[in-house]
Amino acid sequence: MKDPYDADVAIVGYGPSGVVAALTLAKYGISAVVFERHRDIYPRARAVTVNDWTMRIFQNLGVDEPVLKCIDPQRALRWMRYDGTEIMRIEHPPSTLGIKPRFFNIYQPTMEATLRECAARHAEIEVRFGLEVVSLEQDEAGVTVTARDPATGTQESTRVRYAIGCDGGSSATRNALGVKLLGDTLDVLWIVIDCRVKRWWPDRNLLTFWSDKERPVVDIALSGGNHRWELPLKPGETEADFAAQEQVWPLLKALGVNEDDVEIHQHAFYRHHTRMADQWRVGRVFLAGDAAHLMPPWAGAGMQTGMRDAFDLGWKLAGVINGTLPEPFLDTYETERRPNAVFYTQLAVELGRIIKQELSEEEQAALNAPPPADAPEPPLIAPPVLAAGWLRGPVAHDSIVGRMVPQPVVGDTRGVMARLDELLGDRFVLLGDDVDPATLLSASEKEAWDKLGARYIAVRQQDQHTRGTDELIDLDGVLRPWLRKYGARAVALRPDRFVAAADVSGLSVPV
Ligand SMILES: Cc1cc2nc3c(=O)[nH]c(=O)nc-3n(C[C@H](O)[C@H](O)[C@H](O)COP(=O)(O)OP(=O)(O)OC[C@H]3O[C@@H](n4cnc5c(N)ncnc54)[C@H](O)[C@@H]3O)c2cc1C
């Protein structure tokens, strides 16, 4: 009988979220057809940074090495006043996620091009450029996506099991689903000035937020010899006042930057949004990335949140399509990703208040006070934690559940020494502290993890011999102390390396 589906999944939009969705599905052998209305990558450099969480996703997708070649290390963040006073600084401590360094500066068009080149190697991914999706109709068995070629007016229909709208802030998918985009858009118009560097200047590699009520400025080195300034227009100023480069130059010159330092490459205007779709799933169609949420840029998290959505949804859809995960598992996509998007949106809003000098005297004093020695890492750089979702047990500051496992170097019984993820494989894994985790499970618990294709691995300390194949040696001495810190003898890890369950709160498969 003819396969009723042209592909497993349709992806609308091939920006950063769309390409990560396609790469994730392809990794698990799931076919995707991508519709992208533009033939070229969006030329404006928007996102400026990625961190260790995002790079760990790239590692998981096998694209970290090519991406590393087109991004630069980020030194530190600082919030300054024009008089030279430093309001706050965040130095990046070493990452626990096995990524060096912890933060990178990027140039979005180059990074997107690299991701697309990697995706082009997968037979599972078919990209149809120059086609605009105009409708999605779903029934119990699948989704019919209709796309139009604006040049010829011709239309084509494609039948898939599921569809993902990765089509950005003005998402046609979201509109087709009748989903509302709730929230606000601020009136202030910002100008983004992208430049090519002609000579180095002191502290160029510090991401500096020049904090000021009237003219706060983002000043950041992008990769590949690019540099970015973002400034708000003052009341009364309009786009027309900065239409030509000669009109833009005075803004840079006021910051002490001149034609000897840079050449202006392009400039654009935009407004900040704080908006979220009221539903991220309608039946067989999902929203991811800017289609689901829009946030101000102050936490550098818009694009990264979208790529994390795409990765999360990708491995879950793959499990459902491959028959290893039950269909209701797909509801955990929104349960897990929405709180994370809310967290970064709120963080961005708070960081924006510092940049715009909107803090009260008490808030400013608290910021200036030296942090206590045992203070947790600032939320902008702290390792990720899931607040809710496919987890068993409490999500709390003293619980291991919901945390991302660190990624030290480990050794296996064949003598291979590599970062943890390289030796864990792609699926669910139970890790035991000097114990075979399977021995801690009841027969029914073991059967349930077996159904998910789980591996069972004992972590031994480095002065021990391995005794079987499913053992890893904790060469950096990180994993076992980490498990002990939370009182866990064993944890269940999901394919995205978050802890789903621990023996302290029960190791049975979460429901
Ligand atoms: C000035 C600025 C600074 C930023 N800084 C950061 C930062 O530092 N860090 C960060 O993480 N993020 C940042 N962002 C946000 C980031 O750029 C976006 O969040 C990110 O590009 C969203 O990716 P996406 O794939 O979801 O959507 P998009 O990049 O918008 O891609 C959507 C794609 O869908 C296509 N499309 C749309 N409709 C259709 C259709 N009907 N049919 C077919 N194709 C369609 C479009 O052509 C496009 O290619 C910034 C944004 C701005 C504006």
Side-chain angles (χ1 to χ4, degrees), residues 12-18 35-38 46-49 108 131-133 166-168 172 192 228 230 270 288-290 297 300-304:
V12 187
Y14 208 35
S17 308
F35 298 93
E36 171 51 57
R37 65 182 171 191
H38 293 135
R46 293 171 291 162
V48 294
T49 180
Q108 187 173 341
L131 285 183
E132 183 167 24
V133 169
C166 296
D167 45 353
V192 178
R228 150 87 57 85
E230 297 180 26
Y270 74 106
D290 276 19
M303 178 191 70
Q304 301 194 81

Side-chain angles (χ1 to χ4, degrees), residues 258-272:
N258 63 41
E259 290 90 342
D260 292 332
D261 300 311
V262 295
E263 82 183 51
I264 298 177
H265 160 55
Q266 56 187 356
H267 69 283
F269 302 87
Y270 74 106
R271 286 192 165 80
H272 293 162

Side-chain angles (χ1 to χ4, degrees), residues 15 56 100 108 137 193 210 228 241 247 283 286 322 344 346 354 372 407 428 433 438-439 455 467-468 473 475:
R56 192 170 186 180
K100 280 185 200 151
Q108 187 173 341
E137 280 167 30
I193 311 168
W210 297 99
R228 150 87 57 85
D241 297 324
Q247 296 163 293
F286 299 81
N322 281 333
Y344 278 106
Q346 285 171 349
I354 304 177
Q407 190 183 196
F428 295 89
D433 175 2
T439 62
R455 286 182 70 193
R467 288 163 239 163
I473 300 293
L475 292 175

Side-chain angles (χ1 to χ4, degrees), residues 309-475:
D309 295 343
F311 180 64
D312 184 86
L313 181 57
W315 68 261
K316 289 174 179 173
L317 269 176
V320 169
I321 293 169
N322 281 333
T324 51
L325 294 174
E327 212 275 344
F329 199 90
L330 295 176
D331 286 333
T332 69
Y333 163 61
E334 183 171 343
T335 329
E336 293 180 4
R337 294 300 310 148
R338 178 187 282 277
N340 196 258
V342 169
F343 170 82
Y344 278 106
T345 305
Q346 285 171 349
L347 184 62
V349 168
E350 283 307 308
L351 291 170
R353 291 181 63 231
I354 304 177
I355 295 150
K356 291 181 249 170
Q357 290 282 280
E358 293 172 354
L359 299 187
S360 66
E361 275 180 25
E362 295 76 39
E363 288 173 317
Q364 188 62 61
L367 212 58
N368 292 346
D374 59 349
E377 286 184 316
L380 186 60
I381 62 169
V385 186
L386 292 181
W390 195 78
L391 308 167
R392 168 170 294 279
V395 180
H397 77 278
D398 56 353
S399 169
I400 201 167
V401 175
R403 291 180 191 280
M404 184 177 270
V405 68
Q407 190 183 196
V409 173
V410 292
D412 74 4
T413 195
R414 300 164 301 162
V416 174
M417 289 174 277
R419 286 185 295 173
L420 180 70
D421 293 0
E422 314 290 343
L423 295 183
L424 284 187
D426 298 332
R427 297 175 193 278
F428 295 89
V429 178
L430 275 72
L431 278 187
D433 175 2
D434 207 21
V435 63
D436 174 357
T439 62
L440 304 179
L441 303 174
S442 69
S444 62
E445 286 172 342
K446 169 95 174 27
E447 194 186 344
W449 283 113
D450 284 347
K451 263 197 195 148
L452 293 177
R455 286 182 70 193
Y456 305 91
I457 294 179
V459 181
R460 311 282 185 202
Q461 69 187 43
Q462 59 158 317
D463 57 1
Q464 290 177 328
H465 290 103
T466 49
R467 288 163 239 163
T469 47
D470 273 343
E471 288 179 278
L472 292 176
I473 300 293
D474 188 10
L475 292 175

